[in-house]
Amino acid sequence: HYFRISDTSDYLKWGPERRIDYGDFLVASRDRVTYMNLFPMSAEEKLYCFFRGLEFNPCVISSPDHGETWEDAKHFIRSEVEGRHRPYVCYAGNGVDRVHLSFTDAHPRNYGNNIYYALFKGGEFFKADGTLIKGLVQDGPLRPSEADLVFRGSEMAVAGKHGASAPQSAWTSSIALDKDGNPHIGYSYYLSNTDHRYRIASWNGRRWVDREVALAGSCLYEAESSYTGLIALDPVDPTFVVISTDVDPSSGNSLGGTHEIFRARVGMDDDRDSINWKAVTTNSPCRNIRPVILRNDQQRVV
């Protein structure tokens, strides 16, 4: 990995380029690193970096001194699908002592993905109800079957050719925490190249409440038929939801082939029949895709 650290007095000034060399940790010639996700844990006085590495699987390293030095990398989640597969992960941290995870079994081109959830805290994995699963160092990487099963896909393994995805495959898109620290997961669900759906699964303190919230329309392009415009949850208030779709989110009527942005308030009891989606963009000359929501106190930026 290559990175730079900014000047604390001027964030636009960057220090020298640095490198994290994983050495013998990445043993196969096909192992590469990508998808860096940085999360501070002030209670541990550490900075965590979650990334894809060993065997295409999620891995983790940590730094006790804000990135000056790094501890040994660890295999974080181990795929259980036969062959070489890549679980996809979305992360949400509270900055103090925990990072929430939503993840899949593999790429939806290859497998009818489930959606899973786990909490990482103090070097250990937990379920949403607080049940301890295992410790990372002493027990090894998390296996999907050990985590919360939030949504079950078809679980069908396919050849993985470009142009079609595994039947009934889910793909995680966004995870956010409400004011009580409960996780909410936004994800897409593949039925066909022209019929994707958006769903949200919310932990209400006792169980997962999972529901379909919008029609996501067609794939972005057929070579990767599970790629959608995506769904994003506000990181401070997960009831504020933004989506990208090329159809009316409620009726499925075509928008003329262009992806537009919609927003809505989505409560725990809401589903596609009760949600009032409002257009943010209309009649756009180009596709509006992959929205991200940023928050700074009371300011929201999409």
Side-chain angles (χ1 to χ4, degrees):
H1 270 132
Y2 297 85
F3 68 101
R4 297 176 186 270
I5 300 176
S6 68
D7 190 316
T8 55
S9 62
D10 183 353
Y11 294 134
L12 298 181
K13 293 182 179 179
W14 294 90
E17 183 181 89
R18 306 184 186 205
R19 189 174 97 167
I20 306 173
D21 187 348
Y22 293 99
D24 295 336
F25 177 68
L26 302 179
V27 295
S29 61
R30 292 184 293 171
D31 285 343
R32 298 289 188 269
V33 292
T34 188
Y35 298 145
M36 294 180 81
N37 295 269
L38 295 168
F39 288 93
M41 295 264 211
S42 61
E44 300 181 30
E45 297 184 342
K46 285 186 178 182
L47 174 66
Y48 279 83
C49 175
F50 302 91
F51 64 98
R52 177 197 285 174
L54 182 67
E55 299 173 0
F56 280 168
N57 285 192
C59 299
V60 64
I61 51 174
S62 60
S63 170
D65 47 23
H66 305 287
E68 296 292 336
T69 60
W70 295 91
E71 298 171 350
D72 290 341
K74 299 176 180 63
H75 195 168
F76 191 61
I77 298 175
R78 182 184 294 278
S79 171
E80 293 180 287
V81 181
E82 184 178 354
R84 185 180 174 89
H85 290 280
R86 57 195 80 183
Y88 281 82
V89 192
C90 287
Y91 305 87
N94 68 352
V96 179
D97 62 350
R98 60 192 64 194
V99 172
H100 301 256
L101 322 166
S102 65
F103 60 100
T104 68
D105 304 270
H107 193 294
R109 184 176 62 243
N110 306 104
Y111 191 77
N113 281 327
N114 303 323
I115 297 290
Y116 303 95
Y117 166 84
L119 169 68
F120 183 64
K121 177 183 177 182
E124 297 177 318
F125 297 102
F126 297 85
K127 293 188 175 183
D129 65 2
T131 301
L132 173 65
I133 300 173
K134 66 196 302 185
L136 176 61
V137 173
Q138 60 268 39
D139 301 315
L142 179 68
R143 298 177 183 272
S145 61
E146 299 170 322
D148 274 350
L149 177 61
V150 176
F151 177 82
R152 186 181 297 279
S154 68
E155 298 182 332
M156 291 179 58
V158 298
K161 63 180 180 179
H162 288 278
S165 291
Q168 302 167 37
S169 181
W171 212 355
T172 186
S173 177
S174 182
I175 181 171
L177 310 177
D178 62 27
K179 59 182 178 58
D180 296 320
N182 293 323
H184 301 255
I185 299 170
Y187 63 99
S188 60
Y189 182 50
Y190 173 90
L191 293 177
S192 72
N193 289 13
T194 58
D195 187 2
H196 292 73
R197 310 290 176 95
Y198 290 132
R199 301 181 64 90
I200 295 177
S202 301
W203 178 255
N204 68 3
R206 303 178 306 277
R207 62 183 178 87
W208 287 100
V209 178
D210 181 65
R211 65 276 195 206
E212 183 177 302
V213 297
L215 298 173
S218 301
C219 61
L220 297 186
Y221 53 96
E222 290 191 356
E224 291 287 2
S225 56
S226 282
Y227 285 16
T228 70
L230 294 189
I231 179 173
L233 310 183
D234 187 308
V236 174
D237 177 9
T239 67
F240 183 87
V241 182
V242 174
I243 62 172
S244 169
T245 177
D246 64 354
V247 299
D248 182 286
S250 300
S251 68
N253 293 333
S254 174
L255 300 178
T258 300
H259 279 72
E260 304 282 7
I261 302 296
F262 293 82
R263 63 181 171 88
R265 286 285 179 181
V266 180
M268 192 79 73
D269 297 326
D270 283 324
D271 58 21
R272 184 157 61 91
D273 293 331
S274 62
I275 298 169
N276 180 26
W277 289 103
K278 298 180 180 179
V280 176
T281 65
T282 56
N283 300 317
S284 300
C286 59
R287 293 193 300 185
N288 298 278
I289 60 174
R290 306 295 174 99
V292 176
I293 303 174
L294 304 177
R295 284 293 293 264
N296 180 13
D297 295 327
Q298 298 304 310
Q299 183 183 26
R300 177 190 294 120
V301 179
V302 179

